[in-house]
Amino acid sequence: MADAHSLEMLIQSLKRLPGVGVKSAQRMAFHLLQHDREGALTLARALQAAASDVRHCERCHTFTEAQICATCLDPQRDHSKLCVVETPADQSALERTGAYRGLYFVLMGKLSPLDGVGPNDLGLKKLFERACDGVVQEVILATNFTAEGEATAHVISEALKARGLRLTRLARGVPAGSELEYVDLGTIAHALVDRR
Amino acid sequence: MADAHSLEMLIQSLKRLPGVGVKSAQRMAFHLLQHDREGALTLARALQAAASDVRHCERCHTFTEAQICATCLDPQRDHSKLCVVETPADQSALERTGAYRGLYFVLMGKLSPLDGVGPNDLGLKKLFERACDGVVQEVILATNFTAEGEATAHVISEALKARGLRLTRLARGVPAGSELEYVDLGTIAHALVDRR
């Protein structure tokens, strides 16, 4: 491998992917070069296309290739509901449930002071403008139930509370299909408090 | 995400990497687009360069950009020793030990009849020609100590046995720094048999 400069470069570049260390990067590079050069070229083209075409929707911040994404433009959706999520992956999980027909605001992250992510980095100002545009009646906080996600939801709800909007949070409780014996105690306690 | 076609393409292409499922591919794509577009373009260029420049050394089959790799051309190395390994990663592990100054033959795989990999796919014919070129005195079998690796070593040693070459296999034994209590029994049994 000593004199394969471009192989070394490839391994270094693959290491920039999240969750990929030097061993995985080596394995990926060897696999592509040995068994799937077409895949390597396809991936190269996909990377270039995505890096040049994908941008953020001006209304909801999700990834899109248009100025405003199809979800925001859809007249069939309930524009009075605004669901705040952390990432496009979370948005996509909610969409797949088929249980929500309102709009989204994608934070593209979460408040994380330790990593230097403050309210300005998340575009919270834009969220507040959007929430107060007179059309939105309810803001559904669907950030993750982690420490940072909860803190993000708290900051947003504190800021919006005074403006007469209905503020809701995804229900916490026992996951579907689970047995109480194996559910953690914090979840059971929440499910008890929020019983209906 | 509904209307970001190139994002979807990127996720599909990343899924072709070994060990990457749909969740990891999503996470990688989001990371690159949100935090590291420069990394995405660097990776794209590295993939293209490697796919076009990297080929196999004509003598040892390892990855190289030249016709014959630097290791094979190095006059300082002991050309009478030929170490047979499965992958360039194994070769690189042996090189890092600094304990071997001979040459290599990289199989780029192992015999695996269940996956349809037979002797012809591994270029064993080329290995046999190489081993019988009159310069090589000793063939060191350094395939992995797995079922397929052992079978590969067995097939090679059976074929070369008749040709008056010295055939050796990496020693099996207790790994450096390990406590006997935690070493598996097969390894201890081998270490007993091969004691010196």
Side-chain angles (χ1 to χ4, degrees):
Chain A
M1 312 211 304
D3 56 343
H5 173 72
S6 54
L7 174 61
E8 197 45 49
M9 285 291 105
L10 176 56
I11 293 172
Q12 292 305 321
S13 311
L14 285 165
K15 265 177 61 187
R16 286 174 80 153
L17 293 171
V20 177
V22 66
K23 292 271 175 198
S24 311
Q26 267 191 359
R27 197 157 69 95
M28 288 172 178
F30 292 155
H31 171 82
L32 289 174
L33 291 173
Q34 185 66 10
H35 302 293
D36 196 10
R37 293 209 181 201
E38 184 46 44
L41 295 174
T42 306
L43 177 55
R45 282 189 298 267
L47 284 162
Q48 281 163 336
S52 82
D53 297 348
V54 174
R55 49 178 168 164
H56 295 293
C57 169
E58 290 191 358
R59 299 204 73 211
C60 75
H61 273 195
T62 198
F63 287 128
T64 178
E65 285 168 36
Q67 197 167 2
I68 297 183
C69 74
T71 309
C72 285
L73 288 175
D74 188 347
Q76 304 286 311
R77 301 193 74 115
D78 182 352
H79 286 234
S80 73
K81 291 193 174 62
L82 188 66
C83 181
V84 180
V85 294
E86 290 180 17
T87 64
D90 297 339
Q91 178 187 10
S92 142
L94 281 163
E95 279 295 284
R96 286 200 305 275
T97 67
Y100 179 67
R101 293 297 298 160
L103 298 183
Y104 292 93
F105 190 91
V106 184
L107 296 169
M108 290 288 173
K110 53 197 174 248
L111 286 181
S112 181
L114 289 178
D115 302 319
V117 181
N120 292 333
D121 303 293
L122 291 183
L124 290 192
K125 196 159 154 258
K126 201 159 166 188
L127 166 61
F128 298 153
E129 280 168 26
R130 174 84 188 279
C132 302
D133 64 357
V135 179
V136 174
Q137 306 287 318
E138 177 179 357
V139 173
I140 301 161
L141 298 166
T143 54
N144 288 325
F145 289 87
T146 57
E148 287 108 335
E150 296 275 20
T152 309
H154 179 74
V155 166
I156 296 172
S157 69
E158 284 297 307
L160 290 178
K161 205 181 265 177
R163 313 196 190 188
L165 291 161
R166 193 167 168 228
L167 276 169
T168 54
R169 181 96 172 95
L170 286 192
R172 268 180 296 214
V174 180
S178 61
E179 299 180 52
L180 280 188
E181 185 180 351
Y182 301 106
V183 174
D184 71 291
L185 299 185
T187 300
I188 296 183
H190 274 298
L192 263 174
V193 172
D194 294 347
R195 67 188 183 276
R196 36 173 282 181
Chain B
M1 313 215 299
D3 54 345
H5 173 70
S6 54
L7 175 60
E8 195 46 48
M9 285 293 103
L10 176 57
I11 294 172
Q12 292 304 322
S13 312
L14 285 165
K15 264 176 62 187
R16 287 174 82 153
L17 294 171
V20 176
V22 65
K23 293 271 174 197
S24 312
Q26 268 192 359
R27 196 158 69 96
M28 289 170 177
F30 293 156
H31 172 82
L32 289 174
L33 291 173
Q34 185 66 12
H35 302 293
D36 196 10
R37 293 207 180 202
E38 185 45 44
L41 295 175
T42 306
L43 176 55
R45 283 189 298 267
L47 284 162
Q48 281 164 337
S52 82
D53 298 347
V54 175
R55 50 178 169 165
H56 295 292
C57 169
E58 289 188 1
R59 299 203 73 210
C60 74
H61 274 197
T62 198
F63 287 128
T64 177
E65 284 168 37
Q67 198 168 2
I68 296 183
C69 75
T71 309
C72 284
L73 288 176
D74 187 348
Q76 303 288 312
R77 302 193 74 115
D78 182 352
H79 285 234
S80 73
K81 291 192 173 63
L82 187 66
C83 181
V84 180
V85 294
E86 291 181 16
T87 63
D90 297 338
Q91 178 186 9
S92 142
L94 281 163
E95 278 297 283
R96 285 200 306 275
T97 67
Y100 180 68
R101 294 296 300 160
L103 298 184
Y104 292 93
F105 190 91
V106 184
L107 297 169
M108 290 288 173
K110 52 198 173 245
L111 287 181
S112 182
L114 289 178
D115 302 321
V117 182
N120 292 333
D121 303 295
L122 290 184
L124 289 192
K125 194 158 154 261
K126 201 158 166 187
L127 166 61
F128 298 152
E129 281 168 27
R130 174 83 188 278
C132 302
D133 64 358
V135 180
V136 174
Q137 306 288 318
E138 176 180 359
V139 173
I140 300 161
L141 298 167
T143 54
N144 288 326
F145 288 87
T146 57
E148 287 106 336
E150 296 276 20
T152 309
H154 179 75
V155 167
I156 296 171
S157 69
E158 284 298 307
L160 290 179
K161 206 180 268 176
R163 312 196 190 189
L165 290 161
R166 190 165 171 234
L167 275 169
T168 53
R169 180 97 171 97
L170 285 192
R172 268 180 297 213
V174 180
S178 60
E179 298 179 54
L180 281 186
E181 183 181 352
Y182 300 106
V183 174
D184 72 290
L185 299 185
T187 300
I188 295 181
H190 275 297
L192 263 174
V193 172
D194 293 348
R195 69 186 180 278
R196 35 173 284 180

